[in-house]
Amino acid sequence: MGKNLKVFVGTFLALFLSATMTAQEHEISYVDYVNTLMGTDSAFDLSNGNTYPAIALPWGMNFWTPQTAEMGDGWAYKYDDYKIRGIKQTHQPSPWLNDYAAFSLMAVTGKLKFEEEERASWFSHKAETAKPHHYKVYLADYDVTAQVAPTERAAHFKFTFPDADSSYIVLDAFNKGSMVKIIPEERKIIGYARNNHGGVPENFHNYFVAEFDKDFELTHTWKDEWELQQNSKNAEADHVGAIIGFKTKKGEEVNVKVASSFISHEQAQLNLDSEIGESSFEEVKEKAAAVWNKELGRIKIEDEDKQQIRTFYSSLYRVLLFPRKFYEINAQGEKVHYSPYNGKVLPGYMFTDNGFWDTFRAVFPFFNLMYPELNKEIMAGLANTYKESGWLPEWASPGHRNVMIGSNSAPIIVDAYLKGNVFEKDVDVLFEAILKNANVEEGRPESSVGREGVDYYNELGYVPYDVDIHENAARTLEYAYADWTLAKMAEDLGKKKVAKRFYKQAYNYKKLFDPSTNLMRGKNEDGSFQEPFNPLKWGDAFTEGNSLHYTWSVFQDIDGLIDLMGGKKEFTAKLDGVFEMPPKFDDSYYGFTIHEIREMQIVNMGNYAHGNQPIQHMIYLYNYAGQPWKTQQRIREVLTKLYFPTPDGYPGDEDNGQTSAWYVFSSLGFYPVTPGSDQYVIGSPLFDKATLNLQSGNEFEIIAEDNSEENFYIESAVLNGKKWNKTYLNYEDVMKGGKVKFEMSDTPNKEWATEEDSVPYSLSREE
């Protein structure tokens, strides 16, 4: 072989191998790791996630989901159900909040069946594809295959029919106020759905448009009580729907492009034209897959355990769903939104469907790490909420809802602000808003908004047990943490007097500490502790938990809590006790065993209730007391025993991404115990290697050498080539990119990161 030929062949092979590797790199389809059915094997009595398979884009305005339950049931899709009633547009953040602005499409053949019980078709998970970007199911009763692919505000359906003289598509606009209008000459159905469960102004409508690619041979509607209106084209009542019919040949595909708007029918049409237009079903599906692969691919996991990789990406998918975009793009290309607070159409961002009591803990810290630009937009939406309603949201769906407790908009805003993720124009508005929460009792639209009992809190330093304000101890602890975050923002803004006040109030947690039990306890207005006191009693002074769970909710000052308990030995003994005691409980406050209690009871982890949020950070607290190996052991146990990529794969409610965000962070090897600080507390990395592709373009690698099922203890750590002997990572070190390498072992290294200066942030240590 001549020299030139050798050079040519060598060059060709190099280029070929390079191209092949590049192609392989691009061929990674992260959506294929995602099981959207994870968590769908749930019920009122027991949650394995309380999820539904959301066919959507990240933070999309509209989701779609197959509907197995009757209209209005919060558990819209249950894995063990065997019939599908339709595929519905949904905005449901939680079965406990239920849905709003929902309507559905269903295909039927043969005898016309349109009532939801009658039209329901048998289906099997064996003939079902459930991915973020694509849902496909065989409707066995009708020999029809139904598919849907999403955009942010629209969706493309494809129904594949059999040979039939009578084929139908049924559009159910649901009850609580609806309208349909069939326009045969345009192959179109328009209408609106007004169903909701609160949190909407009087003029609330979800306007929809559905365009078909086949002529209608018949048109029917129905009115209340399923009263069929044959050959009609219009209906408006409490509950209406539309039916269009035609003949089909075997394998004939009928496409339906659907979009909606909270602003108008014209805006719904604009959403449809701009997001789908002339695109085919396959094009919409592939675009949706590309969006998901981009977002999921921001974190690259390398590990031999494919099941754990599937769990990771299935969880990450959930983190990227909420809060949903509640704004639209008008004809001028401007961002506008229908305000769920005052009913006006206004400029700018709006996001909704989020419970901050859940998501302040890990979801929003994840956004600050991986999605800083998105979080700026969410903060702008919070500023708009304040301007439009006079208050910050604590649970919005779509407007203020009277759910849960706390003042957790403060840590969300402050953490974003301190990390540079608030637009300059919104800073003063948001600071004014969190200050109002801490000062004003009157005029709150719901008791969950602002701070219930704030006058008592500001006078006594706690919300009393005996003044008819439920969950008072939990409120006190959460307000004190919110005060710390408020102080941090005030200090950064140069407002020294305000900062001084709230730093002082951040110590209010001490007022509820009972030294006789080393636990937090409700306190009466006269300063006496509540009697009787049972630390196993759920609810009452606490929220969806007991004193054993809420005692650790001193995010801002774990070192101060250690001192109150008498030192590290007593502190770690109390932590150990939660895991080692039997799963006893007192459910008398509720009068029955709520699902959160049952989920704690059945997993054989004592009184550790990972299925609910208050205690999820607690495992990391061993780090503060000089026993990080216990954190490592417990973290790995929860990661591998309580999470699976299966229908029963969550240990409790998957609330707006929070339980998933705990998994995502913890499997990477660290967790934001104290949002508002600049640290992540180290646990036990689950994967051999994880690479964070940050929005700045920087990469941060987490490597766990000799990692295995048995090797979950950290023997040593190296950060960017230097020994790392601290139980936390700094936010800035992660954001500027680099590498942390952990050497893993099957035995605990009780010398690693146990020095006084190795522990994470606490307010007491700072001062």
Side-chain angles (χ1 to χ4, degrees), residues 441 452-457 459-460 462-473 475-476 522-528 530 540-541:
E441 178 85 57
E452 179 85 345
V454 70
D455 287 346
Y456 285 113
Y457 178 81
E459 179 184 351
L460 302 172
Y462 61 94
V463 180
Y465 177 80
D466 58 347
V467 296
D468 200 29
I469 297 176
H470 299 298
E471 303 164 65
N472 37 80
R475 294 180 194 275
T476 298
K523 182 176 279 190
N524 296 316
E525 189 174 5
D526 65 4
S528 61
Q530 69 171 102
D540 198 15

Side-chain angles (χ1 to χ4, degrees), residues 39-66:
T40 59
D41 183 11
S42 298
F44 177 89
D45 296 328
L46 185 73
S47 171
N48 289 305
N50 270 342
T51 63
Y52 56 85
I55 307 118
L57 290 192
W59 311 289
M61 189 177 88
N62 300 324
F63 299 174
W64 293 84
T65 189

Side-chain angles (χ1 to χ4, degrees), residues 362-480:
V363 174
F364 280 91
F366 184 78
F367 293 164
N368 282 323
L369 176 66
M370 298 301 298
Y371 291 95
E373 293 305 314
L374 169 80
N375 216 25
K376 287 181 182 179
E377 297 170 2
I378 297 173
M379 295 306 114
L382 292 184
N384 285 333
T385 297
Y386 178 67
K387 288 184 279 190
E388 292 162 28
S389 76
W391 296 89
L392 288 166
E394 297 296 337
W395 232 120
S397 180
H400 295 304
R401 297 288 292 276
N402 196 22
V403 185
M404 305 310 291
I405 67 154
S407 188
N408 299 305
S409 51
I412 285 171
I413 288 166
V414 173
D415 195 35
Y417 167 76
L418 293 173
K419 292 177 171 61
N421 298 331
V422 176
F423 292 123
E424 187 62 36
K425 66 180 178 60
D426 297 320
V427 171
D428 290 343
V429 173
L430 291 173
F431 184 73
E432 175 188 313
I434 60 175
L435 201 57
K436 180 178 180 179
N437 274 2
N439 289 323
V440 179
E441 178 85 57
E442 300 77 22
R444 295 176 299 116
E446 302 283 359
S447 63
S448 61
V449 174
R451 296 187 180 187
E452 179 85 345
V454 70
D455 287 346
Y456 285 113
Y457 178 81
N458 286 342
E459 179 184 351
L460 302 172
Y462 61 94
V463 180
Y465 177 80
D466 58 347
V467 296
D468 200 29
I469 297 176
H470 299 298
E471 303 164 65
N472 37 80
R475 294 180 194 275
T476 298
L477 294 171
E478 293 189 21
Y479 296 168

